[in-house]
Amino acid sequence: MTITTRTADTAIRADDEAGIRARAVAVAVQAAAARNGAPAPRDAVRERDAVTEHDAVTEHDAVRERDAVTEHDAVTEHDAVTEHGAVTANGAHPENGARAEAAPSASHQSPAARRRGTPAGLRPRRGEGQWALGYREPLNANEESKKNDDGLNVRQRIIDIYSKRGFDSIDPADLRGRFRWYGLYTQRRPGIDGGKTALLEPAELDDRYFMMRIRIDGGQLDHAQLSAIADVSRRFARGTADVTDRQNIQLHWVRIEDVPAIWAALESVGLSTTEACGDTPRVILGCPLAGIDAAEIIDATPEIYRTQARYIGDAAFSNLPRKFKSAMSGCSVQCTMHEISDVAFAGIRGPGGEPGYDLWAGGGLSTNPMIGKRLGAFVRPDQVPEVWAGVASVFRDYGYRRLRHRARLKFLIADWGPEQFRAVLERDYLGYRLPDGPAPQPPAARQRDHVGIHEQRDGRCFVGFAPRVGRLSADSLTVIAGLAAEYGSGRVRTTTEQKMVILDVPPARAAELAAELDAAGLPAAPSVFRRHMMACTGLEFCKLAIVETKQRAADLIDELERRLPDFTEPVTINVNGCPNSCARIQTADIGLKGTLVTLPGGQQVEGFQIHLGGSLNGGDGASSGFGRKVRGLKTTAAQLPDYVERVLRRFDASRMADETFAAWAARASEEDVS
């Protein structure tokens, strides 16, 4: 196992180098003991003081396994398979010592202990695959694959076997499952139209090349890291690079033979693809202005890096029921969207004015979107890693593993309710009560992004700019890295809106930097359409897609800029190639979900089902929502610019003073929005 260190811009609190090494050794020994069937120490969540740095290898989100619908993060964030054991926080011994991992098992607890850990009245009528209730037998192909081998183990096979023997040597269970634990998905074979997506077998959709997701926790990059990504893209990925709405960077056209060399290049600068995908803890979102925003409540950088270092790549959390998305931020505009993460720590001032976090759980989109729930608990900064691990452990032990489409944490929260979830978390996993705390205040600004030239707390400036729907290249990354070094300190950030930010620019040079970015096709003062449009990967590379997205969204920007040059209202337009909402269609003002549209003569063409009036307004989540779908409201891809122009003109003509598009869409007639 390779241990790599990633240096945070803000020093990680409390950990010294010797302590990190000692804990890394302890965790490695503990994981080895678990794999050999030996009991792990009691209360693994708390006692695993864990590695402060992890194996470099990230995952991404999954390509649909045929037995279920998977959800993605924007720009092809797919899912995966893998199972681990880990001892439950109440001290249960592992079972099945011969298995790859020792998994938490309620069957080794006393009946009283099992009853105590089971929320009253909530025992399912039939097994939902909840480990803590004794349902240990795999209930679908994904769970069976995870039981057979931990996804983290595939790294060595990639290095020792697959990279040397080539694509045809790859075990199908690794290819379409465990590879995701390291951010690898086969991309879509060229020439297969969207109408065949649901008809072909996975092997018929697979190309012999991979998409690779590079994990960028908190969206934080330095000059060396961004330069390394550009170099990897140029040498191994045909110059491709997309920045995602979860702050990662994705490459395409990666060959299995090149993966070890790519890992070596990334790990040399502290980057990783570990658990960028799969049924694991994905990248931790953070504000790109953490530590420099004068209005921020708290800098979450130390909490992000302490959590990442202790738990990413840890066998205790490498077999979750499903993907697990996290956010930690004290951002003044709440740019990490705490309302739609599996777990989120939203900056607040707690009892006595102490800065800390409001704890949220159970948010998520895909085909069954849900706004997360406040647990009503105040979390001190030093408690964040342990509380994060506690929430992940409840999900691991009680999450629904029977059906993939009900396996996300949001379904457990919906059934239990936030009060019961908090009670189980505090009683059985933390061992102490968290104090009550207030909800976040709604952000003062309507635009929850960081585009443009703005002052930092130290008097310097940051410059946020807009790649076109997240699409970059090796050459553009090199330009960005060079400009960041020339005009700033070399620090660059990715955002949750598929945008980027250069930090630490002297005020006298900010306009000059903005002009250079504009000349490179990366405007810091973009049109309202370019600023507020996102798109997932789509048919070009994604095996789940039905329609093309990236180029179509880029063309839509050009058309709207030409047709509506004076339109200035910040209307978000999100383009998705399938129903899984990687590009967050339900929370956009205009959400476009890829589908096939049947013309009067029976011909099927690419098109979009239309969602209107979604919004994420921050605060306590009460005013956030998923808008409306008008029955049968679709447009063909060819008619998309006409439709969007027509609806925006009607909005502009009939809106009330200061009325947002979401508010207008909620009251507009079907005729107005058709």
Side-chain angles (χ1 to χ4, degrees), residues 261-279:
I262 294 173
W263 282 343
L266 295 175
E267 291 164 20
S268 72
V269 293
L271 291 172
S272 164
T273 66
T274 303
E275 294 183 340
C277 311
D279 293 353

Side-chain angles (χ1 to χ4, degrees), residues 543-556:
K543 294 186 295 183
L544 297 181
I546 301 169
V547 304
E548 202 284 326
T549 55
K550 286 287 190 185
Q551 188 58 51
R552 186 154 285 129
D555 292 343
L556 181 59

Side-chain angles (χ1 to χ4, degrees), residues 478-488 502 513 516-517 520:
T478 299
V479 168
I480 294 164
L483 292 175
E486 179 182 353
Y487 288 92
I502 292 175
L513 170 59
E516 293 244 32
L517 287 166

